[in-house]
Amino acid sequence: MIVGKLIGSTADWMCSASGESSVVMSSRLRLARNLAGHAFPTWADKNERQKVYDEVIPAVRSLQALREPLVIDGMDNFSMIEKQLLVEQHLVSREHAAKGPGSGVAISGDRGVSILVNEEDHLRIQAFSAGFDLVSVWEVVAAVDDALEAGMAFAYSSDFGYLTACPTNVGTGMRASAMLHLPGLVLGEQINQIVQAVGKLGLAVRGLYGEGTEALGNLFQISNQMTLGESEAEIMARLGKVIRQIIEHEQNARASLLERKSRMVADNVGRAYGILTNTYSIASKEALNLLSVIRLGIELEMVPEEIRKTVDELMVWTQPAHLQAKEERKLSSEDRDGLRADLIRERLKGLGKPDAGKVVEPPDDPAGRGKQSKKDE
Amino acid sequence: MIVGKLIGSTADWMCSASGESSVVMSSRLRLARNLAGHAFPTWADKNERQKVYDEVIPAVRSLQALREPLVIDGMDNFSMIEKQLLVEQHLVSREHAAKGPGSGVAISGDRGVSILVNEEDHLRIQAFSAGFDLVSVWEVVAAVDDALEAGMAFAYSSDFGYLTACPTNVGTGMRASAMLHLPGLVLGEQINQIVQAVGKLGLAVRGLYGEGTEALGNLFQISNQMTLGESEAEIMARLGKVIRQIIEHEQNARASLLERKSRMVADNVGRAYGILTNTYSIASKEALNLLSVIRLGIELEMVPEEIRKTVDELMVWTQPAHLQAKEERKLSSEDRDGLRADLIRERLKGLGKPDAGKVVEPPDDPAGRGKQSKKDE
C-alpha cells in the first residue's frame, strides 16, 4: 500500500545539498522514551506491549508533525517488501522491521519524522534533514517529545534522566548522527586514522545501515556514544565540533588529491562513470561504491553538477528492495543485478559526462617536463 | 631512423579481417637455415659470425621481396627503442633484439617479411599475413628460401634435412603458427581443455610474445612442434586442420554465450568499453585485455564494426615502446599508463558505442516471467 509513496520519489533529506555542506549527506536525531509503569518491550508480554501500543498510537496520531502521515500502522500490517523499503530508507531499524503485532511505526508525509513504537524502547522518536543540520532535527524531535510528554508519563529518574531498555541510552536518550561522505579520506588513505581519533573522542563511527554494518559507498555515520552526564545541547555541540573537523579533513584530503594525484582521481571517477553507463549486471555494493566515486567527481568539478540529483537518487533506488518493489515481484539476485544495471544506464543516459581535462595535467606537459629537467640539473 | 615508419601506421597483417576468419588475427611462417661450413651463431666466434653476416646481407639485399625494404641493418645500429618496437611488432624475437655486431635484420617495406641474420640460426626467414592464410605465407617464405639457396649452400643432411642450431628445428626448419583470438573459449571456461587437447596433438600453444609468455588479450599462438619426419605440406595440413577445429570451438562457444549468457557478455563488453573510453591511467596488460573484449563485442554485434580497425591498431600502439616512440623520450611506467589512457580515449572518441539491447533479454521479460510462473505451478 505504501510502496508507491516510498518509491515514487526520494524524500528531500535523501538528496543532499551541493557546495561545502555536501560532505554531510544527512543529519538524524532520535530520542528513546518509555512509558512509566510498563515493562520495557523486550521484557513485556504480548498483552503489555499491546497496551503500550494502544496508548501511544492515538497520541502519535494527534501530533502536529503527523497530521498528514505517510503511514501509521502496526508492523504486522506491512509486507516483507514494505519492511525492507523502510529499512533501506532508514525509516525503521532492521530490528524493528522484524517485529510483529504490538509494534508499529508512524512516518510523516515528508518522511522527515518517524516514530517507532515498541522497538527496543516503547518510543523511538527520530527526525532527518538533508546536509549538516542538527539544530533543525533537534527542534522537530523536541517538539514531538514535548507534545507526547504532555499527555503521558515517561519513565524518568531525577538522578539519571530518561530511563531506557539499554543502559547506553539512559539520560538524554538522545542519539544524534550525521551521514558523512568521505571519499577523499578513503582514497587518501587517511580514513582509519580519522576513525580511530573519532572513537577516542567518545563518538561512534558506523557504516551505512548503522551499528555493525560496512562502510559502503564511502559513507560513514558519526554519532554520540554517551547519553548520560551531558545535556542535549552539550552533546550536539561536541558532535558538531568533531563533524566540522572531519569536514575540514575531508576537504583538505580532496584538495591534496587534486593537487598531487589528479590523474589517479580522474581515473577513478572516469572508470566509475564508464562502468555505470555501460554495465548490464551490477551488484548493489559495487553500484553504491561507484556512485560514491561519481559524487566525488562532482565535488571536484570533474563531473557536471547536473548529474548530482540522479546519483543521490540512484544510491537509494538501486537497493535490493527498491528494485523488487519497482518490479512488483520477488527477484533473484541475478535478475536484480541486471535490472539495477538497466536502471542506472537508463537514468544516467544523456546527463553530463565526466571531463577531467581541466584538472588533469598531461603526462607530456611541456611545463612539467621543464620543471623536471630543471630539478635534474 | 625507422621509428617513424614503424609507428606511422600498422602493417596490413596487424589489422585483422572481419567475418568468420577474424578468429585468426594473423598467420606466420618461418624457416631456419644455416650456411654449410660455418659454426652455428652461438658457437661461432665474432669473426665467423661477421663472415656469415657479410655473405648473407648482400644476398638478402638482392631479394625481390626486399626490393624496397623498411630496413636492412646490423642490430648494433638500432636504438633501444627501435629494438623494442621491432619486438612489439613481432618482427624480431626478444632474443634477437639483444644481439649486437654480427647480427642483423632485413624487413620488407610492407613488414610482411623479416629475415633475421645470426639469431639462433644463421638465417631465420619469416613472413606474416592477416587472418588464416598459411598458404600465402608459405609461398612468400619458400620464394625467399629458393632465391637464397640458389646463391649459397645451406647446411643439409640427406638423412635429416636442414640442420639447425637447436635439434627441435632440424628437418624442415619450419615453424608455422597462427595468432588466435579466443575470448569465447576463455569466457566459457573451455580454454584449458582446448590447450591440453592441442598439446596432445603435438602442437604448441603460446602467449602473445611467443615461447614462455602470457596469454594476454585472449590471444593464443598455435604452432607446430615437430619439424622432422613430415613434409612442409603435411605440417601445414595438420596445423590447418587443428586450427579450423579451434575456430569452430570458438564460434560455438560464442554462440553458446550469446544464447545462455548474453547479459554476462554484454556486461563484460560494456564495462570494457566504459573503462577504455573514460580511463586516465591504464596499464598495458589491462588495455590489451579490455581491447580484446571489445573485439569480441564487435564479433557478437554488440559493438559497431566501424570501431574494429581502431581496436586492432590500439592493440599495437598501446604497447610500452610504441608509446615512448610516439613521445620521443623514455617514460616512467606511471607516465606511460597516463599517455596510454589519453591515446585510447582520444582514438575511441566519436566511434560507435556498444548497444547490446538487441541481444540482451531484459530480466523482466514478460515471456520469461510467463515461463517461470508455468514452471512454478
Side-chain angles (χ1 to χ4, degrees):
Chain A
M1 262 179 342
I2 59 160
V3 168
K5 292 180 192 170
L6 289 173
I7 68 168
S9 65
T10 49
D12 285 345
W13 64 266
M14 295 173 190
C15 287
S16 55
S18 59
E20 282 218 346
S21 68
S22 71
V23 172
V24 183
M25 303 278 290
S26 57
S27 304
R28 169 177 169 267
L29 192 145
R30 67 108 169 116
L31 295 177
R33 295 289 185 261
N34 289 279
L35 271 55
H38 290 282
F40 295 131
T42 316
W43 290 271
D45 63 16
K46 208 175 153 184
N47 270 345
E48 188 160 18
R49 280 205 302 276
Q50 191 61 46
K51 265 189 212 160
V52 170
Y53 185 85
D54 293 340
E55 184 175 346
V56 165
I57 288 295
V60 166
R61 273 192 205 286
S62 67
L63 288 168
Q64 175 71 17
L66 286 159
R67 226 171 24 172
E68 291 176 32
L70 182 100
V71 70
I72 300 177
D73 213 339
M75 292 315 288
D76 48 331
N77 291 326
F78 293 100
S79 67
M80 191 55 72
I81 204 82
E82 287 172 327
K83 288 179 170 184
Q84 287 173 18
L85 282 176
L86 292 172
V87 171
E88 289 180 358
Q89 296 198 2
H90 303 274
L91 295 167
V92 312
S93 62
R94 283 184 299 182
E95 294 71 24
H96 198 57
K99 296 275 163 71
S103 291
V105 65
I107 299 169
S108 66
D110 64 359
R111 282 172 277 177
V113 177
S114 88
I115 300 174
L116 313 189
V117 182
N118 282 328
E119 201 237 28
E120 184 181 288
D121 296 294
H122 295 146
L123 278 164
R124 289 279 175 104
I125 306 160
Q126 54 186 352
F128 306 87
S129 87
F132 183 33
D133 191 357
L134 293 175
V135 174
S136 80
V137 284
W138 164 248
E139 283 170 358
V140 171
V141 166
V144 170
D145 183 43
D146 289 347
L148 289 175
E149 202 164 15
M152 57 185 78
F154 285 157
Y156 185 85
S157 140
S158 55
D159 284 337
F160 299 120
Y162 291 99
L163 301 176
T164 56
C166 178
T168 57
N169 290 313
V170 168
T172 55
M174 182 171 104
R175 178 94 64 219
S177 69
M179 188 67 79
L180 274 65
H181 185 232
L182 305 176
L185 291 170
V186 172
L187 272 179
E189 295 174 358
Q190 294 158 266
I191 191 70
N192 288 337
Q193 207 180 319
I194 296 286
V195 167
Q196 278 170 22
V198 169
K200 281 179 191 157
L201 293 168
L203 300 175
V205 185
R206 295 181 173 132
L208 178 57
Y209 297 107
E211 205 160 343
T213 65
E214 281 176 273
L216 294 170
N218 303 312
L219 292 169
F220 297 83
Q221 189 200 76
I222 315 276
S223 62
N224 65 306
Q225 289 268 42
M226 298 219 306
T227 53
L228 198 60
E230 280 184 318
S231 71
E232 290 85 351
E234 283 166 341
I235 292 172
M236 286 192 285
R238 205 154 58 85
L239 181 65
K241 194 175 154 193
V242 173
I243 288 174
R244 271 186 293 276
Q245 283 172 350
I246 299 177
I247 294 173
E248 204 181 314
H249 281 295
E250 170 67 16
Q251 282 164 343
N252 289 342
R254 291 179 187 181
S256 163
L257 284 172
L258 212 48
E259 200 187 309
R260 299 186 303 113
K261 295 185 173 178
S262 61
R263 188 168 276 272
M264 182 271 267
V265 180
D267 187 54
N268 272 275
V269 172
R271 284 170 182 250
Y273 178 87
I275 291 171
L276 289 172
T277 49
N278 288 281
T279 178
Y280 278 82
S281 177
I282 189 163
S284 169
K285 286 184 189 184
E286 188 189 3
L288 190 56
N289 285 331
L290 296 181
L291 287 165
S292 157
V293 175
I294 295 199
R295 212 171 170 280
L296 173 66
I298 299 167
E299 316 271 318
L300 297 181
E301 298 181 17
M302 291 178 176
V303 181
E305 180 68 33
E306 61 171 354
I307 207 174
R308 183 191 294 270
K309 190 168 160 41
T310 302
V311 167
D312 282 350
E313 285 172 346
L314 284 172
M315 281 183 161
V316 179
W317 288 341
T318 56
Q319 295 176 101
H322 279 73
L323 284 173
Q324 299 189 58
K326 194 163 167 273
E327 288 297 302
E328 300 177 9
R329 63 187 173 116
K330 193 155 169 50
L331 296 166
S332 70
S333 154
E334 195 184 329
D335 278 352
R336 281 205 303 272
D337 292 352
L339 281 167
R340 181 177 296 114
D342 292 350
L343 175 68
I344 294 173
R345 283 201 327 281
E346 188 54 41
R347 298 278 311 177
L348 290 179
K349 198 192 283 180
L351 290 179
K353 289 177 194 176
D355 178 12
K358 56 187 167 186
V359 286
V360 174
E361 271 192 33
D364 59 342
D365 176 44
R369 210 188 307 188
K371 263 185 263 166
Q372 190 57 42
S373 3
K374 245 185 198 163
K375 229 187 266 168
D376 289 349
E377 279 168 15
Chain B
M1 261 180 340
I2 59 160
V3 167
K5 292 179 192 171
L6 289 173
I7 68 168
S9 64
T10 49
D12 284 345
W13 64 265
M14 295 172 190
C15 287
S16 56
S18 59
E20 282 217 346
S21 69
S22 71
V23 172
V24 184
M25 303 279 289
S26 57
S27 305
R28 168 178 169 268
L29 192 144
R30 68 105 169 118
L31 295 177
R33 294 289 184 261
N34 288 278
L35 270 55
H38 290 282
F40 295 131
T42 316
W43 290 272
D45 62 16
K46 205 176 155 186
N47 271 345
E48 188 161 17
R49 280 205 302 276
Q50 191 61 46
K51 263 188 216 162
V52 169
Y53 184 85
D54 293 342
E55 185 178 342
V56 164
I57 289 295
V60 166
R61 272 193 206 287
S62 66
L63 288 168
Q64 174 70 16
L66 285 159
R67 228 171 24 175
E68 289 176 31
L70 184 101
V71 69
I72 300 178
D73 213 340
M75 293 314 290
D76 47 330
N77 291 325
F78 293 100
S79 68
M80 192 56 72
I81 204 84
E82 287 172 327
K83 287 178 170 188
Q84 287 174 16
L85 282 176
L86 291 173
V87 171
E88 289 180 357
Q89 297 199 0
H90 302 274
L91 295 168
V92 311
S93 62
R94 283 185 299 183
E95 294 71 24
H96 199 57
K99 296 275 163 69
S103 290
V105 65
I107 298 169
S108 66
D110 64 358
R111 281 172 277 176
V113 177
S114 88
I115 300 173
L116 313 189
V117 182
N118 282 327
E119 202 236 28
E120 185 181 286
D121 295 294
H122 295 146
L123 278 163
R124 289 278 176 104
I125 306 160
Q126 55 184 353
F128 306 87
S129 87
F132 184 33
D133 192 355
L134 292 176
V135 174
S136 80
V137 284
W138 164 247
E139 282 170 359
V140 171
V141 166
V144 169
D145 184 42
D146 289 347
L148 290 175
E149 201 164 16
M152 58 184 77
F154 285 158
Y156 185 85
S157 140
S158 54
D159 284 340
F160 299 120
Y162 290 99
L163 302 176
T164 56
C166 178
T168 57
N169 290 313
V170 169
T172 56
M174 183 172 106
R175 180 93 65 220
S177 69
M179 189 67 81
L180 274 66
H181 185 232
L182 305 176
L185 290 170
V186 172
L187 273 179
E189 295 175 359
Q190 295 158 266
I191 191 69
N192 288 338
Q193 207 180 319
I194 296 285
V195 167
Q196 278 170 22
V198 169
K200 282 182 191 156
L201 293 169
L203 301 175
V205 184
R206 295 181 174 132
L208 179 56
Y209 298 107
E211 207 162 341
T213 64
E214 280 178 275
L216 295 170
N218 304 312
L219 292 169
F220 298 83
Q221 189 200 74
I222 315 277
S223 62
N224 64 305
Q225 290 268 41
M226 298 219 302
T227 53
L228 198 60
E230 279 184 318
S231 70
E232 289 86 351
E234 283 166 343
I235 293 172
M236 285 191 285
R238 205 153 59 82
L239 181 64
K241 195 176 155 192
V242 173
I243 288 174
R244 272 185 293 273
Q245 282 172 351
I246 299 176
I247 294 174
E248 204 181 314
H249 282 295
E250 170 66 18
Q251 282 165 341
N252 289 342
R254 291 179 187 180
S256 163
L257 284 172
L258 211 48
E259 199 187 310
R260 298 186 301 114
K261 295 184 173 178
S262 61
R263 187 169 277 272
M264 182 270 267
V265 180
D267 188 53
N268 271 275
V269 172
R271 284 170 182 250
Y273 178 87
I275 290 172
L276 288 172
T277 49
N278 289 282
T279 178
Y280 278 81
S281 177
I282 188 163
S284 168
K285 286 184 190 184
E286 188 189 5
L288 190 57
N289 285 332
L290 297 180
L291 287 166
S292 157
V293 175
I294 294 199
R295 211 170 171 281
L296 173 65
I298 299 168
E299 317 271 318
L300 297 181
E301 298 182 15
M302 291 177 174
V303 181
E305 181 67 33
E306 61 171 357
I307 208 175
R308 184 192 293 270
K309 191 170 159 41
T310 302
V311 167
D312 282 350
E313 285 171 348
L314 285 172
M315 281 183 160
V316 179
W317 289 340
T318 55
Q319 296 176 99
H322 279 74
L323 285 171
Q324 300 189 57
K326 193 162 168 274
E327 287 296 303
E328 300 177 10
R329 63 185 174 115
K330 194 154 169 51
L331 297 164
S332 70
S333 153
E334 196 184 330
D335 279 352
R336 282 205 303 274
D337 291 353
L339 280 168
R340 182 176 295 112
D342 292 351
L343 174 68
I344 295 172
R345 283 201 327 281
E346 187 54 41
R347 298 277 312 176
L348 290 180
K349 198 191 281 177
L351 289 179
K353 287 177 196 176
D355 178 11
K358 54 186 167 186
V359 287
V360 174
E361 272 191 34
D364 60 341
D365 176 45
R369 211 189 303 191
K371 262 184 266 166
Q372 190 58 40
S373 4
K374 246 183 199 166
K375 231 187 268 166
D376 289 349
E377 278 170 15

